Amino acid sequence: MYQSATELLEEYRAGRLSPVEATEAVLSRIDRLEPELHALYAYEPEQARAAAKASEQRWRSGEAGALDGIPLTLKENIATRGTPVPLGTAATELTPAPADAPAAARVREAGGVLLAKTTMPDYGMLTSGLSSFHNAARNPWDLSRTPGGSSAGAAAAAAAGYGPLHVGTDIGGSIRLPAGWCGLVGFKPSFGRVPVDPPYIGRVAGPLTRTVADTALLMSVLSRPDSRDHMSLPPSELPWADLGCEVAGLRIGLQLDPGAGLDVEPEIRAAVGEAARLLEAAGATVEPLAPFLTREMLDGLDTFWRVRAWCDISSLPADRRAKVLPYIAEWAEGGADVSGAAAYRGFSQIDVMSVAAVRATAPFDFVLSPTCPVSAPAADWASPTNDPQRPFEHIPFTVPYNMSGQPAVSVNCGHTGDGLPIGLQIAGRRFDDLGVLRLAAAFEVIRGPQRALQV
């Protein structure tokens, strides 16, 4: 089903469609496509039907919530009460979660119809759907390609029409990268805008949808406060539904060279350049932004994350440790012999990267770049390099904004010669979540209709 959430809500209000009918249509689509996509975990159609029936009654009684009757999914690492959280890996003990995480609690309170959780790679540390626990998720645009990750199943589900709303998480690009490769809107809000549990440096939860309006709608719910996140921003009432944007007069930076990592493929460079030209024609001033990421920053982050992963994996019993995806195990082992000083120097690059991002982007209202320098690799590759010694070469455009906490969104801006989507990243100043979504909505109009996915 490719109706947007905003369209479904209008249909429900007018009585032209019921949540039960919409949910049945989505369930039928899932049953047809899921054997090939492998996007879902803990798929529970009967619970979805019951939730849709309850929503139908709320609409009839005038008690509908903000997302009432909208079919949606949550990434597997967002806890839902009673469902184990394997974190994408066979090494995790399958213990039912005691409570809903903040994002799960908010969408349920708003009346959303939870269809399933969505699959992810081991510990969320791959831009891929490869997993030792789940079957590898596939890209609906080309089943031989990965949808990206770590919100792999969420992106595949969103692109394939498993309902209009999907929630992922992002600590280095895990919402935006799969959104870019699947032709979606993938929003990484400002750090702390959406409460998460457990909180961690750079980690956010956010929407993957097919329209900016749906992303804004979902943000109006996800951003509601939750005391479990001690790192969250103070609650604020933002006018999420107001997506009007005057492009004329905006000062926009265009970054086509991140400073480290993989070279930008020519087709991607051309598509992002054309997006910049469209905004310039609409009255924006577009100026080049020089690279600000360095090899030291990217390698330092890699070192710290390896140490963190090794601390977790090495503490597992031997039988469980042996079940970790070999790529992840080899990558994490690189942190086994790192000295305390080297681990600290790696960790310190988080602040260095954050300061560099904020200072470099400060002269601009927004910054455009590719979401990823390369297009989606094969579904059985762990990353675009497929090399655990070079794991983060594809995230130089995305990860700085996790470390700086700035909001950033990926929107589709074209397709490769092979028909694969190309993501345009729009980043904004700290806490200007609404501004980023407003420019993305303006770009949706300026770029015109996009190629339809035929599945």
Side-chain angles (χ1 to χ4, degrees), residues 258-310:
L262 296 172
D263 292 335
V264 178
E265 291 176 353
E267 288 181 309
I268 294 174
R269 179 182 293 270
V272 172
E274 177 59 22
R277 284 188 287 274
L278 289 173
L279 290 170
E280 194 169 36
T285 299
V286 178
E287 304 171 21
L289 171 61
F292 59 82
L293 188 75
T294 67
R295 185 81 256 168
E296 185 179 11
M297 294 176 196
L298 198 60
D299 288 350
L301 188 65
D302 179 28
T303 296
F304 171 67
W305 277 351
R306 284 177 193 255
V307 170
R308 172 174 166 256
W310 178 248

Side-chain angles (χ1 to χ4, degrees), residues 13 62 70 76 116 130 242 260 270 319 347 408:
R13 290 189 192 98
I70 303 299
E76 180 245 288
L130 281 186
D242 180 4
D319 60 330
F347 179 78

Side-chain angles (χ1 to χ4, degrees), residues 61-204:
S61 63
E63 299 174 345
L67 302 180
D68 230 299
I70 303 299
L72 54 83
T73 72
L74 298 168
K75 189 176 176 180
E76 180 245 288
N77 63 340
I78 298 171
T80 51
R81 185 170 58 85
T83 303
V85 184
L87 300 176
T89 178
T92 301
E93 290 185 313
L94 298 181
T95 303
D100 284 345
R106 298 296 86 76
V107 298
R108 288 199 213 259
E109 291 163 1
V113 175
L114 179 60
L115 303 166
K117 310 295 283 297
T118 50
T119 58
M120 60 182 281
D122 286 51
Y123 301 108
M125 291 308 299
L126 294 178
T127 306
S128 165
L130 281 186
S131 165
S132 60
F133 183 78
H134 307 292
N135 290 322
R138 302 277 172 159
N139 191 322
W141 288 88
D142 180 346
L143 293 176
S144 72
R145 308 290 188 112
T146 181
S150 64
S151 302
Y162 290 12
L165 302 181
H166 306 267
V167 183
T169 63
D170 189 320
I171 199 171
S174 288
I175 289 172
R176 289 157 291 159
L177 292 163
W181 285 346
C182 290
L184 304 168
V185 178
F187 183 51
K188 184 206 82 66
S190 293
F191 180 73
R193 179 72 67 196
V194 173
V196 297
D197 182 33
Y200 195 80
I201 299 168
R203 179 184 291 147
V204 301

